[in-house]
């Protein structure tokens, strides 16, 4: 029960940072990775308690690494073109 409270707290803190600190792209990406880490811990606890196979965790890790690499490449591209990672300087038009 205590581990579930830790998961819920991690998930809520990650979402709070994602919603409130949206000035820099790096902070947004770090909060998304924190949310993914909390979901990974939840899946680990759930699958171990129910004695399921842990192959789904490997698939989840693959997708989370791909998401992190994609976010990092977007950050590098944005810094190369605009010189910073502020969302105000980035125009979608």
């Amino acid at each position: 029960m205590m581990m579930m409270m830790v998961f819920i707290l991690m998930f809520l803190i990650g979402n709070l940072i994602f919603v409130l600190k949206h000035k820099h792209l790096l902070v947004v990406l770090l909060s998304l990775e924190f949310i993914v880490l909390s979901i990974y811990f939840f899946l680990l606890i759930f699958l171990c308690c129910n004695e399921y196979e842990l192959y789904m965790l490997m698939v989840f890790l693959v997708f989370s690494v791909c998401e992190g690499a994609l976010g990092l490449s977007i950050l590098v591209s944005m810094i190369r073109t605009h010189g910073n990672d502020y969302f105000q300087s980035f125009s979608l038009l």
Side-chain angles (χ1 to χ4, degrees):
M1 188 65 180
M2 182 66 170
M3 293 299 287
M4 290 300 289
M5 294 301 289
V6 169
F7 156 71
I8 291 171
L9 184 65
M10 284 176 62
F11 188 76
L12 289 176
I13 289 173
N15 281 326
L16 185 68
I17 292 171
F18 181 74
V19 170
L20 295 179
K21 303 291 183 185
H22 52 81
K23 185 176 180 181
H24 294 280
L25 181 63
L26 183 60
V27 176
V28 171
L29 291 175
L30 285 174
S31 68
L32 286 175
E33 289 297 322
F34 192 70
I35 292 170
V36 167
L37 184 65
S38 67
I39 293 172
Y40 176 77
F41 283 148
F42 173 72
L43 281 174
L44 181 68
I45 292 167
F46 178 75
L47 294 176
C48 286
C49 289
N50 293 330
E51 297 178 2
Y52 289 128
E53 295 291 328
L54 300 177
Y55 293 118
M56 185 60 195
L57 288 178
M58 186 62 73
V59 173
F60 185 78
L61 277 178
V62 167
F63 281 113
S64 64
V65 166
C66 290
E67 177 255 338
L70 182 64
L72 189 62
S73 66
I74 290 171
L75 177 70
V76 168
S77 174
M78 189 172 169
I79 288 175
R80 283 185 178 175
T81 58
H82 297 285
N84 56 21
D85 65 339
Y86 294 127
F87 278 120
Q88 290 85 9
S89 66
F90 188 66
S91 177
L92 294 176
L93 297 177

